[in-house]
Every structure is written in structure tokens, then in C-alpha cells.
């Protein structure tokens, strides 16, 4: 069964931190690179960060590089996104998916950065 379940979002003040988690099931995610994507109201869904299956390579969007860190625990079929130094422009619904993305999406987790 293919499933993605994101969690860990919330309301945080600018400069704060959050750690997102994504529990995934299905070989399509276990054997591939994974990514975090986000979609702000009225905007397209964009890649934020990706990590290879062996955790040997990561890459980040310019807007989050140096503030966000992606990691994964293959034994627990979970991928994480540590977000530090959050800014109001980081406000969005965050999703995980394979990289490149598939047609499978979870419900996402809302991150709101506001004072």
C-alpha cells in the first residue's frame, strides 16, 4: 500500500523552529530519493529539499539553504525536515514525496510563521 503521512507543522514565530516528519510506505518511496515540497496559497507546489536513498546527497532550494536540513531513517521509513530560522515566507502546506515526485500525495502539514 502506498501511503504518505506528514506531521509536525504548526504556528511558530519568525526565527523559530519546527521539525516535520513523513512516514511513508510502498516500495516506490523506499527505493527512491525523497523530497519535501511546499505550496503557499495561490502558488505552485515547489521542491524544498531532497535526499537520496543512501543519504549521501542532499540538495535544497536557494530560499531555504542553510536554514533547513533534510534527513531520513530508512529503517523506520521516515523522512524529516528540520526547519530553523523560519520566516513568514516559509508559510505553506508542506508535503513529502519521492524525488522526482510521483502522483501520490499525502494530506500535507500546515506551517504558519507569524508573530
Amino acid at each position: 500500500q502506498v501511503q504518505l503521512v506528514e506531521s509536525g507543522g504548526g504556528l511558530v514565530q519568525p526565527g523559530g523552529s519546527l521539525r516535520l516528519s513523513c512516514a511513508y510506505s510502498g516500495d516506490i518511496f523506499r527505493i527512491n530519493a525523497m523530497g519535501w515540497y511546499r505550496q503557499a496559497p495561490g502558488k505552485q507546489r515547489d521542491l524544498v529539499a531532497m535526499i537520496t536513498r543512501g543519504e549521501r546527497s542532499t540538495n535544497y532550494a536557494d530560499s531555504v539553504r542553510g536554514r533547513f536540513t533534510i534527513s531520513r531513517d530508512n529503517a523506520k521509513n521516515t523522512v524529516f525536515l528540520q526547519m530553523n530560522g523560519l520566516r513568514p515566507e516559509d508559510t505553506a502546506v508542506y508535503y513529502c514525496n519521492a524525488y522526482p515526485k510521483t502522483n501520490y500525495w499525502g494530506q500535507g502539514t500546515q506551517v504558519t510563521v507569524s508573530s
Side-chain angles (χ1 to χ4, degrees):
Q1 181 182 2
V2 176
Q3 191 173 26
L4 296 161
V5 180
E6 301 93 345
S7 61
L11 173 63
V12 63
Q13 292 186 342
S17 299
L18 284 173
R19 189 187 193 217
L20 306 184
S21 298
C22 168
Y24 55 84
S25 60
D27 286 342
I28 193 170
F29 302 120
R30 282 192 286 269
I31 65 175
N32 281 304
M34 291 292 291
W36 280 97
Y37 303 77
R38 69 184 181 187
Q39 186 169 22
K43 296 188 177 181
Q44 66 181 18
R45 193 172 299 181
D46 291 328
L47 178 70
V48 173
M50 61 78 61
I51 184 168
T52 56
R53 183 185 185 281
E55 305 173 65
R56 294 185 178 182
S57 181
T58 59
N59 202 7
Y60 299 90
D62 289 342
S63 59
V64 307
R65 185 172 290 113
R67 300 188 296 123
F68 290 10
T69 302
I70 189 171
S71 61
R72 68 190 293 174
D73 184 336
N74 290 332
K76 296 182 178 180
N77 293 337
T78 304
V79 61
F80 305 97
L81 187 67
Q82 177 67 43
M83 305 187 296
N84 299 327
L86 283 162
R87 304 168 179 170
E89 54 265 38
D90 295 319
T91 296
V93 180
Y94 285 70
Y95 303 86
C96 66
N97 203 326
Y99 176 82
K101 61 183 182 288
T102 70
N103 290 327
Y104 299 103
W105 293 98
Q107 82 289 348
T109 186
Q110 175 71 48
V111 172
T112 303
V113 185
S114 175
S115 55

